[in-house]
Amino acid sequence: MKFKFFIVFMFFSFMHPIFSEEVSSEKQDEIVLDKNFKFKIKPFAAPIQLAITIDDLPAAGPEAKFMSREEVSAKIIKALTDNKVPEVYGFVNGILLYQNELQAKILKEWRSSGFLLGNHTFSHFDLKKVSSQEFIQDIERNESILLDYVQTIPELKIFRFPYLMEGNTTEKRYDIRSYFSKRNYIIAQVTVDSEDWSYNDAFIRCKNGNFEKETNELIENYLVHIFHVLTYSDKLGHFIYGPNRKFSHILLLHYNPLNAVALPQMLEKFKRNNVKLVPAKTAILDSIYKEDFPQPMKLGIPFFEQMRLSRKLPFKEFPFPYLEESWLNSICK
């Protein structure tokens, strides 16, 4: 039985790139896709507010030979607590707790460290591939598990869509939103997708092969990518809502070995470059994230990109942060 659930979980890591270098010709007409553009991290002119959220607790992706699940969790929790990151939200898949006492222990340690827990469905279902009713049943199955870990009911009623997929049909989209409205659920949107799952695969490969130089290069590239996505998203958000509309960005990470190693550097770079870390729930509850995207989704995309598409707006004020898949697939091989 454990093996069956491990296979299901392994599927989670094979996600569709959001900022992929494989961008459709239609999208290329709407954005600046410059593969020669080299983004460099530099301090933001005005402070950027950013909340941290982490998906797929208590264990994301394949287990690494060089670092146990427990070590991954301990390192992430230590980095967050050492840097006094406020009110981080972790989003849980209950399937990962099935017949696994260690991962239940990890979840308890996360909660006892003062961080919060939200619903990410039990099985990490892709709403594109299941019915609305199946999806809702999976949310409720996960809710029954979360009740053993959270302090309040409202805490667990912050929801993150797996794969950021909110519905490939209008009917599905509004079935789920109608359910959320009746049950007082709030959607945890994302404005900064780190795409760490793709970097994590390469990171594990580099570490397993003892490629020290390439491992360090990979981590630096990953951190630069996060800042590129943050910069792009901030400019896009203000392009849509105006330069005076203040909002906090929401960063999506996963509970994986890459972040266990890279998080201390990431948090230090945030401090040095005028990024202020804010409580996740405060950011999630901002009224800006209540706006809906009234169209079916082909794939999950961050919030501001949804809003750009809903308005049919081209955005050419800053180069798009595409993911260098060919480089990630070739490094440490």
Side-chain angles (χ1 to χ4, degrees), residues 216-242:
N216 292 333
E217 179 185 1
L218 179 77
I219 291 172
E220 182 59 28
N221 187 288
Y222 169 56
L223 298 177
V224 169
H225 182 69
I226 288 175
F227 272 84
H228 190 171
V229 177
L230 174 58
T231 303
Y232 177 87
S233 182
D234 192 64
K235 290 180 181 294
L236 177 58
H238 288 297
F239 176 77
I240 295 170
Y241 291 99

Side-chain angles (χ1 to χ4, degrees), residues 17 20-22 197-199 201-203 205-206 218 323-333:
S20 168
E21 60 185 355
E22 299 296 329
W197 40 267
S198 192
Y199 283 90
D201 290 345
F203 174 73
R205 189 168 64 243
C206 289
L218 179 77
L323 188 68
E324 297 181 83
E325 290 180 274
S326 57
W327 177 76
L328 285 170
N329 290 334
S330 64
I331 192 171
C332 299
K333 285 186 175 178

Side-chain angles (χ1 to χ4, degrees), residues 13-139:
S13 63
F14 295 95
M15 301 184 184
H16 297 289
I18 292 172
F19 294 117
S20 168
E21 60 185 355
E22 299 296 329
V23 181
S24 69
S25 58
E26 179 183 0
K27 177 164 275 192
Q28 289 183 41
D29 292 336
E30 300 174 358
I31 60 174
V32 176
L33 184 63
D34 182 359
K35 295 185 179 181
N36 295 317
F37 176 74
K38 299 298 181 185
F39 180 84
K40 293 183 179 180
I41 297 175
K42 60 182 180 180
F44 290 98
I48 297 281
Q49 292 192 334
L50 178 72
I52 294 180
T53 64
I54 304 182
D55 283 11
D56 298 354
L57 269 69
E63 186 165 4
K65 296 177 182 178
F66 56 87
M67 190 183 302
S68 69
R69 299 287 195 195
E70 200 166 15
E71 288 175 306
V72 168
S73 180
K75 286 178 181 292
I76 289 176
I77 289 173
K78 185 177 188 302
L80 295 172
T81 53
D82 285 354
N83 288 275
K84 297 181 173 58
V85 181
E87 201 183 67
V88 180
Y89 240 104
F91 292 94
V92 178
N93 301 115
I95 192 172
L96 302 174
L97 299 167
Y98 189 83
Q99 294 184 352
N100 194 317
E101 292 181 5
L102 171 61
Q103 291 180 182
K105 178 174 176 283
I106 287 172
L107 208 58
K108 290 176 183 176
E109 289 172 349
W110 169 270
R111 193 62 192 81
S112 66
S113 298
F115 304 125
L116 304 174
L117 294 170
N119 200 329
H120 197 39
T121 74
F122 179 85
S123 307
H124 204 276
F125 274 162
D126 183 346
L127 185 52
K128 185 165 58 177
K129 298 178 180 179
V130 298
S131 69
S132 302
Q133 190 56 40
E134 288 174 299
F135 196 78
I136 288 170
Q137 288 172 352
D138 211 55
I139 292 170

